[in-house]
Structures are given as C-alpha cells and as structure tokens.
Amino acid sequence: MNDQKNYSRGLLLCLLATVSWGAMFPLMDVTLKHIDPFTFTCLRYAIAGAMFLVFLKLREGMAGFRLKGERIGLAWLFGTAGFAGFQFLVFFGQDLIGARGALNASIMMATMPMMGFLVNWVLRKVVPPKGALAFIAMSFVGVILVVSDGSLSTLLAHPSDFGPDALLLFAALCWVIYTSGATFFPTWSPIKYTAITTVLGLASAAVITAVILAAGGVPVPSGHDVTAVLPELAYMSVIAGFVGVLGWNFGNKYLGPLNGVLFMDVVPITAFVISALTGVIPAGMQIVGASLTALALVLNNLYLRRVAQRTAAAQAAQAAQAAAKPVATAPGAGEAQPAAVASGR
C-alpha cells in the first residue's frame, strides 16, 4: 500500500514538473520582448536560489551547508553548466529563432534522456545497448523534422538557422551534464545538490551577464522593462524554478529514472498546446517529428526494461546454479586415503 502511494505521488510530482517546464517556453516569447535572457536568468535564479537555500535550511539545518572536504570546484562546474549554460543558451536560441522558438526549444528538451545515454557513455564508459543507440537516432530524426518543418532542403537552404538550433541542442546537453553531476555527490540529498549548485551557477551567470552588459552586447533593462515581466518572472522563478525542480527531483526518487524520464514528453506537448492557444500553430510535420521523438523515448524505455529483466533473470539463474553445485574436493584427495590403507601405512 505504501509503495502504491509513493508511486502515485511520484506520478503527480513528475507531471507537475514537466507541465510547469512546458509552459515556460511560450511565456518566454512574451518575456524576451522586454528583457534579455541573461539578465532575466539572473533575476529568476536569484529568487529561486534564495528559496532553495531556505528550504535546505528547513530540511537539513546548518548541516546542509557544510561543504568542508567536498569537491566545490566540481559542484561549481555542474552548476555553471545547468544555471548559466542551459538557461542562457536555451532562451537565447529561442529568441534568435523568433515565432517558432518556443516550439523548437521545447522539442529539443525531449532529447535530454537520449543525450543522457551519450553523456553516461563518455563519463562512465557505459556503452548503451545497441537498441538504445537505434532509438537515439530515431529521436534525432524527430528533432530534424521539427526544426525543418519536414523539409530538409529548406533547412539546408537557410544555414542561418543552424546556429540557433545548435544552441538549443547544446543547452539540452548542458542540462544533461548538470543532472548527471548529481552522481558525483552521492552523500548529498537532491535538495542540497540543487541549492548548492544553483548558488554556484548563479555566481557564474551574474559574472557573464555583467560582462555582456558592460560590453554592450545587450541593452541594460530599464525599471519599466523589469516591471513589465514581473508576472512571468514570478512564474519562472517560483513555479517552474522552485516547485518544478523540486517536484522533478522528488518525483524521480519515488518512480526511478526509467519511469520518470518518460515525463519529458510532456514538455513539448504542453508547449505545443499553449502555443496553439496563443495563435502559433505547429506545422503538420512538426507534430509528426514531436510524436516520433516521444515514441522513441517510450520504445527505448520499454526496451531497457526488457534488457534489465533479462539481465536480472540471467544473474538469478547463475546464482541458483552456483548454490546447487556441490563443493569440489581437491584433486586426488579421494584416492589418497585408500592407497595409504592398502599399503599398510
């Protein structure tokens, strides 16, 4: 009964997280008309980061802030990848694309589980099963259909689109690296990893943003610009930032990664629905591409479950054989005693 309750709780938390993340891409279309993605990211995670620190204090007390002997440099690297690399690149790429930016950015997020296999391959030297590699290829075919509207010749005829789409893919990779980084801190709780890396990543984001503003890369937002995006800022920092990340971390704790990863399909679905309601209708081939990527994730999940079941069954069979096998005696030990008796010794 308790397992069923935790499973249901995990489903609700993962659904809450991915719906909140899907909604943030259409909202950013409005936000980017008033403020640059760099300054907005700093404002967003200054709020969310403060909330994470308060929550860490409430859950773990001052012990949650003890970092003596910890690999702070590594935590800073992962935090920078997640809260500077991902946040900057995904919304900057969305801004460069224009009207289709929210749709393209959201479907790129659905490639994260597949990228996770590749990152694990590089970092952990764990080679994905052959079937998983096939589903990785299938998911990227779906992405190509989305970004090209089903016309590869059109995509190749506009090389100016390569840069923004590459930024979105690299942003997704940054988030996968950040997520994988939690395995390097096995003694940290999900809330501690999130809180510490958010603060460290925010420091990098603030420095990068200051340099961009000082160099004139983007205009310094006015007070009116900031006021204009307060509703979006509240949603992005409190709902998508704080509630969404916590819901995802704890939901995956209840469900496990094989179940939780399927909810990434909800991100583009939510973005597509909200974009359609605001007048940005996905093209037919974009829907086909998004569906293909979602199907790749589902099939890959089912395939990995079958591989895991076969591996577990094989290991159980080997253990049973080892337990049933009689203990072998030393070579010749059974013959030595009778020979000694026969000789009268």
Side-chain angles (χ1 to χ4, degrees):
M1 180 65 70
N2 191 47
D3 289 342
Q4 182 62 39
K5 182 182 294 185
N6 285 339
Y7 185 81
S8 300
R9 189 178 300 167
L11 290 176
L12 291 175
L13 288 172
C14 284
L15 182 62
L16 171 66
T18 48
V19 167
S20 71
W21 293 342
M24 71 182 182
F25 293 102
L27 284 177
M28 280 303 294
D29 279 342
V30 178
T31 303
L32 292 171
K33 295 176 181 178
H34 300 279
I35 193 171
D36 65 273
F38 313 106
T39 304
F40 184 80
T41 294
C42 291
L43 293 174
R44 175 191 180 190
Y45 279 102
I47 298 172
M51 296 177 71
F52 282 129
L53 291 176
V54 171
F55 191 68
L56 177 61
K57 174 65 168 61
L58 294 175
R59 287 294 297 266
E60 302 183 20
M62 293 307 298
F65 296 90
R66 295 195 185 113
L67 301 176
K68 185 177 181 180
E70 301 287 358
R71 294 178 287 183
I72 303 304
L74 195 60
W76 167 81
L77 181 64
F78 290 131
T80 299
F83 298 102
F86 170 73
Q87 301 295 333
F88 283 175
L89 296 178
V90 71
F91 295 129
F92 184 47
Q94 178 178 337
D95 191 26
L96 291 176
I97 292 174
R100 297 183 300 109
L103 301 181
N104 285 22
S106 64
I107 191 61
M108 292 301 186
M109 300 308 100
T111 66
M112 286 184 184
M114 299 305 179
M115 285 187 178
F117 283 106
L118 301 179
V119 170
N120 199 40
W121 191 353
V122 173
L123 295 181
R124 301 291 186 182
K125 310 302 180 185
V126 178
V127 180
K130 293 181 180 179
L133 292 175
F135 292 127
I136 290 173
M138 179 178 172
S139 71
F140 278 104
V141 170
V143 170
I144 291 173
L145 289 176
V146 172
V147 301
S148 66
D149 291 343
S151 175
L152 188 59
S153 59
T154 301
L155 178 64
L156 296 176
H158 296 87
S160 59
D161 291 341
F162 294 171
D165 289 329
L167 288 178
L168 294 178
L169 277 176
F170 191 65
L173 179 61
C174 284
W175 190 255
V176 170
I177 292 172
Y178 166 74
T179 304
S180 301
T183 61
F184 289 85
F185 299 88
T187 62
W188 288 14
S189 66
I191 180 59
K192 180 171 182 176
Y193 179 74
T194 304
I196 299 302
T197 53
T198 298
V199 173
L200 295 174
L202 178 61
S204 298
V207 171
I208 295 170
T209 300
V211 172
I212 293 174
L213 292 174
V218 294
V220 177
S222 65
H224 178 269
D225 293 326
V226 175
T227 303
V229 299
L230 284 180
E232 290 79 11
L233 179 61
Y235 179 88
M236 295 285 282
S237 56
V238 178
I239 305 301
F242 180 73
V243 176
V245 172
L246 282 182
W248 179 253
N249 287 339
F250 284 99
N252 274 270
K253 180 180 178 181
Y254 294 132
L255 294 181
L258 283 179
N259 289 317
V261 72
L262 291 177
F263 283 86
M264 289 306 298
D265 290 339
V266 178
V267 174
I269 292 172
T270 304
F272 274 39
V273 171
I274 295 177
S275 295
L277 292 175
T278 57
V280 181
I281 308 298
M285 290 308 297
Q286 284 186 310
I287 296 176
V288 171
S291 300
L292 187 62
T293 298
L295 180 62
L297 286 173
V298 173
L299 292 178
N300 182 66
N301 182 268
L302 296 175
Y303 169 73
L304 290 179
R305 286 174 181 272
R306 180 167 296 182
V307 170
Q309 290 173 354
R310 289 176 178 175
T311 301
Q315 291 175 346
Q318 290 177 354
Q321 289 177 357
K325 189 175 181 180
V327 179
T329 57
E335 300 175 354
Q337 185 64 27
V341 173
S343 61
R345 295 176 185 174

